[in-house]
Amino acid sequence: MSLTTRLVILAGLVGLMFYNASEQQLWAAIIDWQLGWYKLGVPIAWGIILGALVNLLGGRVLLKWLEPITLVAASLTTLGLTGTAAVYGAHQIGGLTLAPLFISSVGVGVYLFAYSYARFAGARGARNEESEDSVDK
């Protein structure tokens, strides 16, 4: 069994712990984190922006970390989505799913950080190859 499969299964099992959370605990988490439906997109947007920015400023320093970052992103996304299904299954209230949905949103944001970093690194590498080819001619 691969490492990715093991992490996803473990994160899914941890996500099921949301099933045991009471309504009061979930509402307290939502209020403490000041969550709202519009805040679910914030980690996604920051992931894209920071991935591009880190590539522009830092160059290729994170290329060896892309695989672990992707594994963490898959785990967070699985944990959040499993928790969302568990909360909705236990309480049948859509608003209570904000806390686990936010965790999965962070996972998607981390994935998009790695994705945008890799895309910008690929574009930078292609541009460098083109400039080297034009110098050789």
Side-chain angles (χ1 to χ4, degrees), residues 69-70 73-74 77 106-116:
I69 290 172
T70 306
T77 304
V106 169
V108 172
V110 169
Y111 174 77
L112 289 176
F113 168 80
Y115 181 79
S116 66

